[in-house]
Amino acid sequence: TIIFDTVYINTGNDYNITTGEYTVPADGIYTISYPGGYAAYLVIDGIQNQPMNRPYEFTAGTVLRFESDNCSACAWEIIQLR
């Protein structure tokens, strides 16, 4: 699991800086952006290798995490669309 050294915005503290997990705060449509350049993948409720850079419909309490073997300068963005 990638644990970020720097977190710029963490509204509601939904990203756990200790475990590296993000817990979806409310039902809705979310987009997950990853700029690429590194071999990394998204894990949704324990299911690995989920596609990125697309919208998802999540229910509150869904747990996300990001994994990589060599991502020392990754950046991720999770935005609730509605």
Side-chain angles (χ1 to χ4, degrees):
T1 300
I2 298 171
I3 298 175
F4 297 102
D5 294 331
T6 304
V7 177
Y8 293 103
I9 299 173
N10 190 11
T11 304
N13 291 317
D14 301 314
Y15 174 73
N16 184 315
I17 60 172
T18 303
T19 65
E21 294 179 336
Y22 176 83
T23 302
V24 173
D27 294 358
I29 306 291
Y30 290 77
T31 184
I32 299 167
S33 299
Y34 169 65
Y38 295 94
Y41 58 91
L42 173 65
V43 178
I44 301 172
D45 279 340
I47 301 170
Q48 299 182 348
N49 296 321
Q50 299 299 307
M52 291 178 269
N53 298 323
R54 58 155 281 194
Y56 280 95
E57 186 165 1
F58 290 130
T59 57
T62 300
V63 176
L64 312 177
R65 70 177 195 271
F66 307 101
E67 299 206 352
S68 175
D69 294 330
N70 62 351
C71 188
S72 60
C74 290
W76 301 84
E77 182 177 69
I78 302 170
I79 298 174
Q80 183 177 9
L81 302 175
R82 64 174 178 159

